[in-house]
Amino acid sequence: METNIQTSPNRSAARTARKSKSSVPLFLAVWVLLIGCGVIGSVWYTNHLKAKLTKDISVQTARQITAMQQDYDTQLKQMQTQFSGELIKVQSKVDALNELLQFTKDNTNSKTDNSNKLFSQLNEVKKKLNELQKSLDVLK
């Protein structure tokens, strides 16, 4: 019986030594596998977040561009309306001055200082009308 007792401890010591020797590579393989999975998972998650952020930023940018374009169109229409109103006013003044000038020409035989004043006023009004027209064209 003593022989059996002595043999058993030797066998269990040999088994323990073999288990410890084979468990180290297994342990390292499991750690390498876990680290690899962690790296792959983090790369996948980073790419997923990157795609999501890119999409969100694109949507936000599109909304802002649309809002700015609508605001620009509204302002442009308001300015066109204002310039059209001013052009109509200036045109009516030019027409009134033309009528007054024609009336003065018909009533006088020679050129007087009044007609010179009317011509200069008429020229000034025409210059302003041209400037307003150019401004309206620039806005369009």
Side-chain angles (χ1 to χ4, degrees):
M1 282 201 192
E2 287 181 18
T3 317
N4 284 344
I5 295 173
Q6 288 178 351
T7 329
S8 291
N10 287 340
R11 283 186 186 170
S12 52
R15 282 185 195 163
T16 308
R18 265 190 283 160
K19 283 184 181 179
S20 65
K21 286 182 182 179
S22 65
S23 66
V24 171
L26 179 65
F27 178 75
L28 290 176
V30 168
W31 271 108
V32 168
L33 182 67
L34 286 174
I35 291 171
C37 288
V39 168
I40 290 171
S42 64
V43 167
W44 174 81
Y45 185 68
T46 303
N47 287 338
H48 173 72
L49 284 180
K50 182 179 174 183
K52 183 180 177 189
L53 284 174
T54 303
K55 181 182 175 186
D56 291 346
I57 290 172
S58 297
V59 168
Q60 183 181 7
T61 304
R63 286 182 190 155
Q64 288 176 348
I65 288 172
T66 303
M68 287 176 61
Q69 188 173 10
Q70 288 174 349
D71 185 42
Y72 174 76
D73 289 341
T74 303
Q75 288 178 357
L76 184 62
K77 286 178 184 178
Q78 287 176 349
M79 293 182 85
Q80 285 177 343
T81 304
Q82 289 174 351
F83 276 119
S84 296
E86 288 182 26
L87 283 173
I88 290 170
K89 288 178 185 176
V90 170
Q91 186 64 42
S92 65
K93 288 181 182 180
V94 168
D95 291 340
L97 284 173
N98 279 336
E99 289 176 13
L100 183 60
L101 183 59
Q102 189 63 36
F103 177 74
T104 355
K105 277 184 179 179
D106 291 342
N107 288 334
T108 59
N109 291 334
S110 62
K111 290 185 178 180
T112 62
D113 289 335
N114 289 336
S115 64
N116 288 337
K117 288 180 184 178
L118 288 175
F119 275 120
S120 62
Q121 287 178 352
L122 182 62
N123 286 334
E124 288 177 20
V125 171
K126 283 185 180 182
K127 286 179 186 177
K128 288 182 181 180
L129 180 63
N130 287 336
E131 289 175 8
L132 286 172
Q133 184 65 39
K134 288 178 185 177
S135 296
L136 181 62
D137 291 339
V138 167
L139 287 175
K140 287 182 181 180

